[in-house]
Amino acid sequence: MRQITLSNGTTVEVECLSCALTSGLVQPDGGVVIETEHFHAHQDVAYPIKGLIILASKRHIYCFDELTEEEQLDYISLLTKIRKAQRDVLGIEHVYYFYNEDTSHHFHTWMVPRYKWMNEFGRSVESVRPVLRHARNKMNNQENVNEVIQAISLLTKALHGER
Ligand SMILES: [Zn+2]
């Protein structure tokens, strides 16, 4: 069990954070960006980077080869849609995808947009951790957080055909 503190300050104990999020037990800050039968996408606001989306399976699995054929199709289709929305409404040119099977949660893919300020941390996979740390420690100001919230709203609308 792990303890999670919600944005309203209350604490809940869950077995798996991804299960808690995809089942709706825990509501992500900024809301659900898009949801399908098998997947669930939200912004991780712990890292205030515009358009950083976490795409998680609803089933409690870990490895890519555990996806059913139906889930595989749903996954690639949704990943593509989110990617397109990132480009269309946020102007994101490149995205880094990060997914580790030995996660303490369950199957989820990070879609980390690249911005110019990230170049000082390098361009390889090793840059991802310092980029996230920088965002969490140095960009958690109200102005940037507001921009992140605005980006969530733009992505959500784009993904529901409301633009
Ligand atoms: Zn789970």
Side-chain angles (χ1 to χ4, degrees), residues 61-113:
I61 53 171
Y62 292 90
C63 299
F64 221 91
D65 56 344
E66 290 180 82
L67 293 172
T68 65
E69 206 162 310
E70 200 177 297
E71 285 168 337
Q72 291 167 28
L73 295 174
D74 197 18
Y75 176 75
I76 198 69
S77 154
L78 191 52
L79 196 64
T80 309
K81 266 185 207 153
I82 295 168
R83 177 64 191 95
K84 185 174 187 311
Q86 288 171 319
R87 186 187 307 282
D88 288 351
V89 298
L90 300 178
I92 292 165
E93 199 178 342
H94 293 119
V95 169
Y96 284 19
Y97 302 83
F98 186 75
Y99 157 51
N100 55 317
E101 294 186 335
D102 57 349
T103 170
S104 58
H105 310 153
H106 74 230
F107 186 105
H108 66 283
T109 304
W110 293 61
M111 303 175 71
V112 186

Side-chain angles (χ1 to χ4, degrees), residues 16-20 58-62 105-106:
C16 168
L17 178 59
S18 301
C19 279
K58 291 191 173 174
R59 219 152 53 81
H60 185 80
I61 53 171
Y62 292 90
H105 310 153
H106 74 230

Side-chain angles (χ1 to χ4, degrees), residues 8-33:
N8 65 13
T10 58
T11 303
V12 291
E13 277 207 343
V14 295
E15 297 259 14
C16 168
L17 178 59
S18 301
C19 279
L21 281 162
T22 58
S23 71
L25 176 68
V26 172
Q27 185 67 22
D29 288 335
V32 183
V33 169

